Amino acid sequence: MLRFEILTLFPGMFEPVLAHSMLKRGQEKGLLHVHIRNLRDFATDRHKMVDDTPYGGGAGMVMKAEPILRAVASVRADAQSNGEDIRVIFPTPQGRRLTQSYVQELAGEPRRIVILCGHYEGVDERVRLALNPDEVSLGDYVLTGGELPALVLIDAAARLVPGVLGDPQSVVEESFSESLLEYPQYTKPAEIEGIGVPDVLLSGHHEAIRLWRRKQALRSTYLRRPDLLRDRLFTEEDRRLLDELMNEGLVAAPISCREEG
Ligand code: SAM
């Protein structure tokens, strides 16, 4: 079972997402467990203070270290009493960019995954120094808090846990599996506003469909995310499909790539 422990000042942000679709199903099937803890419960002063003004002055409030460290200690003690360990993640715009390979690693994580949701101006630096968490960024922009990144992490990892999605094949042939973007998908009707569906998809010829999809995946990746193809080892088949794309003028220049040995 994939277990998350969320530390947040806004527990109410999670329920609406966790109560739907695959995340709901994953929990019902016992494959996913998400425990939400309110950081305010770990503030010990009379006013339950969880934030304070920054030393040195400046705008906004900073989340205090002690309630967070207490919350993490409490999760750790809980886990240890069950013979488990924890892994702490801090979503931050300063972290390393979230990737599918990181998400794959999380999906197989046997430890409880603690996600610390920052808010306001951020978190007292001593939390980072004391916990040495994985620092993960969703991208080069700033959100109001770590709650949405936490939900993104839960969603992306949970769908890779066998049994959460209806069809296990879905995660095999999608974007970023094998560092390729996915091929284009079509569903009924066969024509919309004069735009049809590629004939091959209606042919029932499984091998031709497989080759078409592979070629389209290579083309999409080449045109949209050439960085994913850099230093990639291509199979002989991929090389041939890329040559076809070039001869058809569908991709412009040869890709500098190596062939699989
Ligand atoms: N002052 C901080 C800075 O400049 O790095 C940003 C604080 S942000 C308003 C509040 C919280 O939102 C952060 O502590 C982090 O948990 C979360 N957050 C904001 N943008 C994020 C991003 N791109 N990726 C991951 N987490 C993010």
Side-chain angles (χ1 to χ4, degrees), residues 74-127:
S74 159
V75 177
R76 183 176 277 120
D78 226 34
Q80 282 173 349
S81 68
N82 279 306
E84 297 168 40
D85 205 350
I86 63 170
R87 172 177 185 170
V88 183
I89 300 178
F90 176 44
T92 160
Q94 301 180 26
R96 75 171 195 189
R97 187 77 67 89
L98 180 62
T99 60
Q100 187 68 5
S101 57
Y102 181 78
V103 162
Q104 265 155 0
E105 189 190 314
L106 281 192
E109 178 59 69
R111 293 170 288 184
R112 293 193 196 181
I113 303 170
V114 180
I115 307 184
L116 164 61
C117 303
H119 228 90
Y120 314 121
E121 283 311 306
V123 170
D124 187 313
E125 180 69 3
R126 287 164 292 186
V127 168

Side-chain angles (χ1 to χ4, degrees), residues 90-94 118 120-122 136-139 141-146 149:
F90 176 44
T92 160
Q94 301 180 26
Y120 314 121
E121 283 311 306
V136 177
S137 167
L138 252 58
Y141 46 82
V142 179
L143 298 161
T144 54

Side-chain angles (χ1 to χ4, degrees), residues 14-26:
F14 288 86
E15 211 273 332
V17 178
L18 296 174
H20 294 278
S21 185
M22 303 300 163
L23 295 184
K24 179 180 180 205
R25 202 163 76 180

Side-chain angles (χ1 to χ4, degrees), residues 182-208:
E182 196 187 44
Y183 49 79
Q185 299 271 19
Y186 294 83
T187 185
K188 296 170 191 70
E191 190 175 311
I192 297 172
E193 298 188 359
I195 308 170
V197 174
D199 289 340
V200 63
L201 297 181
L202 307 172
S203 70
H205 190 310
H206 296 306
E207 179 58 9

